[in-house]
Amino acid sequence: MEGALAERVGAEPFHRVTPLLESWALSQVAGMPVFLKYENVQIAGSFKIRGIGHFCQQMAKRGCRHLVCSSGGNAGIAAAYSARKLGIPVTIVLPEGTSVQVVRRLEGEGAEVQLTGKVW
């Protein structure tokens, strides 16, 4: 594995450790303590970066040099973010009817977006 890629792959996980805080209001309604995990503060925007980031790092360790994903949602964003952090290309395949906003968000992470087909 090339030196720079090896450093990025062996680096820390791509997700943040986020707080787990008790919600007083929800605890009152439920009659028991209710805790909320604040995954909305992840850099990629959701909890998906935890698993997908790890998966992408593992695939890069095994020699993967191009990632492909078929989600324009949080999973696609996590894949695009991970690929950018790893410095490897990623292609996100989505249906033709995908909104321009989704395409722009993914391209903003450096992904190549291919729109093909009518449905998933």
Side-chain angles (χ1 to χ4, degrees), residues 10-83:
E12 296 291 315
F14 295 147
H15 69 273
R16 294 178 171 166
V17 175
T18 58
L20 181 66
L21 302 172
E22 184 173 6
S23 167
W24 181 85
L26 291 175
S27 295
Q28 293 301 307
V29 172
M32 64 181 69
V34 173
F35 293 86
L36 301 175
K37 185 76 168 143
Y38 283 73
E39 291 296 276
N40 59 312
V41 298
Q42 292 293 352
I43 293 170
S46 81
F47 72 96
K48 294 284 186 173
I49 191 61
R50 291 178 180 276
I52 290 173
H54 176 74
F55 178 77
C56 291
Q57 285 178 306
Q58 294 305 305
M59 291 300 98
K61 278 183 188 177
R62 293 180 184 170
C64 175
R65 295 293 177 264
H66 191 126
L67 298 168
V68 178
C69 180
S70 64
S71 170
N74 291 330
I77 293 168
Y81 174 81
S82 298

